[in-house]
């Protein structure tokens, strides 16, 4: 492996990141605060009367915001929340469903196709996008749409793609008190950003240290079921899209019943893996015990094990700080790998080829 870039050399980091992914990650706390205001000030929203379920519809970076909101809000909302990543919607959705259609570009074909089903099923649609065909179709059908700022990669717009929808739901009366908690979270992320940002030197910067540890390895992220399993999936996708490496994820306790056995035979490959566990600080549950024991057992099998215990005053703070750390680590790993974190050429190519097929 060639000598990696010095992660404290901010000039070189800037040159290697022409699309500004690291800057977008550093700007995330501000984006979160703006996203909450956008949702709160949305000019029109669907009528909340009679809504008994919420469905988020989208793909990739636009869909994970739905997973986050589901993990944080389903219990407090007291109604089922689901996330749909496909061309079709299940027929159990209907007029009692708030269907939040999320596509950053507004041109994702699966999401546009699912909109036909939502129309047919009579769902109450809310659109979140920067424009594209989704906005055109929202306007043609007189569906409320919240237009979010463009110019980012969808995965770098996670604040808009999650919190704007949550703030809109709060204005509709479906949830209470979340916007205040989320503003507190955005404030606490600022401090984390200073700790993990480019100006914080390697010896004090855990995000840079972990990125260095991951050089030449395949990250496999295990999150405790619920919100940290969502964070694990976000980490995996960010390693794929920003760092351009294979990465995998699973959740505890389920992986204790299958995947844990799989690190047994292909020693040479298993040694290339860094297993990263995402757990909560002060968690005294049985699952937390499993994290400790599983990490111990895997130490003999894989190339390295990192156990992260996320802290924070609220669940929202814990989940977003886990996500934010992964965003930093994946951007630094891209720069260590000598790749531009921003473009996702193969996704663009695939979308073009699908469009050409008609
Ligand atoms: C790119 C990214 C992708 C897109 C996905 C759907 O940064 O994260 O996963 O989010 O291809 O596209 P949009 O978000 O435009 O609907």
């Amino acid at each position: 492996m060639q000598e990696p870039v010095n992660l404290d050399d901010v000039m070189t980091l800037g040159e290697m990141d022409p699309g500004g992914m690291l800057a977008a990650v550093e700007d995330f706390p501000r984006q979160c605060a703006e996203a909450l205001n956008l949702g709160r000030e949305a000019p029109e929203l669907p009528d909340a009367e009679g809504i008994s379920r919420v469905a988020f519809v989208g793909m990739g970076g636009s869909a994970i915001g739905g997973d986050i909101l589901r993990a944080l809000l389903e219990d407090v909302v007291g109604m089922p929340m689901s996330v749909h990543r496909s061309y079709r919607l299940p027929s159990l959705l209907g007029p009692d469903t708030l269907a939040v259609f999320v596509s950053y570009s507004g041109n994702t074909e699966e999401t546009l196709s699912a909109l036909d089903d939502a129309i047919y099923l009579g769902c109450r649609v809310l659109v979140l996008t920067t424009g594209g065909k989704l906005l055109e179709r929202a306007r043609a059908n007189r569906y409320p749409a919240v237009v979010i700022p463009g110019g980012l990669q969808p995965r770098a717009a996670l604040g808009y793609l999650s919190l704007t929808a949550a703030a809109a739901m709060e204005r509709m009366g479906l949830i209470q008190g979340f916007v205040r908690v989320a503003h507190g979270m955005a404030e606490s992320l600022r401090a984390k950003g200073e700790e993990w940002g480019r100006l914080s030197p390697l010896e004090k910067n855990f995000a840079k240290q972990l990125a260095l540890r991951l050089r030449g390895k395949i990250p496999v992220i295990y999150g405790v079921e619920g919100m940290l399993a969502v964070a694990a999936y976000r980490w995996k996708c960010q390693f794929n899209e920003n760092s351009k490496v294979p990465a995998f994820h699973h959740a505890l306790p389920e992986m204790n019943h299958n995947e844990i056995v799989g690190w047994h035979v292909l020693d040479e490959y298993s040694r290339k893996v860094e297993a990263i566990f995402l757990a909560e600080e002060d968690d005294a549950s049985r699952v937390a015990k499993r994290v400790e024991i599983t990490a111990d057992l895997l130490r003999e099998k894989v190339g390295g094990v990192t156990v992260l215990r996320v802290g924070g005053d609220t669940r929202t703070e814990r989940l977003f700080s886990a996500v934010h750390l992964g965003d930093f680590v994946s951007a630094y790993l891209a720069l260590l790998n000598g790749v531009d974190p921003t473009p996702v050429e193969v996704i663009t190519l695939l979308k073009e080829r699908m469009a050409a097929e008609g």
Side-chain angles (χ1 to χ4, degrees):
M1 265 192 296
Q2 94 194 59
E3 195 52 30
V5 61
N6 173 0
L7 289 178
D8 289 342
D9 176 353
V10 290
M11 287 300 282
T12 308
L13 294 193
E15 280 160 23
M16 293 178 70
D17 180 17
M21 183 56 77
L22 189 54
V25 175
E26 288 168 335
D27 186 50
F28 186 64
R30 190 210 55 78
Q31 180 191 122
C32 288
E34 188 194 343
L36 290 163
N37 295 338
L38 272 175
R40 243 189 346 200
E41 290 155 12
E44 34 160 13
L45 291 171
D47 180 10
E49 185 65 37
I51 286 177
S52 64
R53 61 169 62 235
V54 181
F56 297 96
V57 187
M59 301 300 300
S62 288
I64 189 132
D67 291 327
I68 287 178
L69 295 186
R70 179 176 177 218
L72 291 175
L73 298 175
E74 191 171 41
D75 272 355
V76 284
V77 173
M79 57 175 87
M81 287 187 161
S82 50
V83 183
H84 304 272
R85 296 173 157 91
S86 192
Y87 288 88
R88 303 297 310 266
L89 292 181
S91 57
L92 61 83
L93 306 186
D96 65 338
T97 305
L98 171 67
V100 186
F101 274 73
V102 188
S103 170
Y104 191 72
S105 63
N107 289 321
T108 297
E109 69 169 45
E110 296 93 320
T111 313
L112 290 167
S113 155
L115 185 62
D116 293 336
D117 280 4
I119 294 169
Y120 176 77
L121 295 165
C123 298
R124 254 171 273 180
V125 172
L126 170 64
V127 161
L128 202 61
T129 185
T130 59
K133 292 190 189 126
L134 188 59
L135 186 59
E136 276 168 30
R137 292 193 59 194
R139 296 211 160 124
N141 286 281
R142 297 183 184 282
Y143 290 140
V146 185
V147 180
I148 52 179
L152 294 166
Q153 276 288 329
R155 63 189 184 281
L158 182 66
Y160 299 124
L161 298 169
S162 55
L163 297 174
T164 302
M169 284 167 59
E170 184 157 323
R171 235 196 71 204
M172 289 170 64
L174 294 174
I175 46 176
Q176 283 90 38
F178 180 75
V179 170
R180 187 183 44 78
V181 168
H183 270 298
M185 171 279 288
E187 206 40 61
S188 81
L189 280 195
R190 278 182 218 279
K192 304 270 185 202
E194 274 166 32
E195 203 182 312
W196 299 327
R198 78 185 83 193
L199 294 178
S200 163
L202 177 64
E203 81 243 24
K204 293 200 268 178
N205 189 325
F206 180 69
K208 289 182 181 178
Q209 291 165 11
L210 183 54
L212 269 170
R213 200 175 153 82
L214 288 171
R215 234 181 123 237
K217 297 228 191 91
I218 297 174
V220 176
I221 308 100
Y222 295 124
V224 169
E225 69 175 353
M227 67 178 192
L228 290 182
V230 173
Y233 182 55
R234 167 74 174 183
W235 278 55
K236 170 226 150 30
C237 295
Q238 292 291 75
F239 283 129
N240 296 148
E241 294 180 71
N242 289 345
S243 329
K244 277 80 176 168
V245 293
F248 303 91
H249 82 296
H250 205 337
L252 274 101
E254 176 63 14
M255 68 76 72
N256 283 176
H257 301 273
N258 34 61
E259 185 159 322
I260 192 171
V261 193
W263 301 116
H264 193 62
V265 173
L266 301 182
D267 225 35
E268 190 192 333
Y269 298 99
S270 301
R271 295 275 165 220
K272 293 244 174 259
V273 162
E274 175 80 19
I276 302 168
F277 290 85
L278 301 181
E280 279 185 73
E281 208 174 74
D282 331 311
D283 183 356
S285 70
R286 296 283 296 164
V287 193
K289 259 276 149 296
R290 283 174 184 274
V291 171
E292 274 168 46
I293 300 173
T294 311
D296 251 11
L297 294 171
L298 283 196
R299 249 177 220 115
E300 295 159 22
K301 300 284 180 190
V302 300
V305 173
T306 300
V307 180
L308 299 176
R309 299 194 186 279
V310 297
D313 292 340
T314 60
R315 294 182 73 240
T316 307
E317 224 176 283
R318 289 177 179 218
L319 174 50
F320 274 88
S321 90
V323 164
H324 200 36
L325 175 60
D327 289 358
F328 272 113
V329 176
S330 65
Y332 289 132
L333 183 58
L335 301 171
L336 289 173
N337 285 343
V339 292
D340 182 348
T342 302
V344 278
E345 277 159 22
V346 69
I347 297 182
T348 313
L349 182 71
L350 193 128
K351 286 181 178 178
E352 281 167 8
R353 283 184 58 174
M354 285 300 292
E357 295 286 323

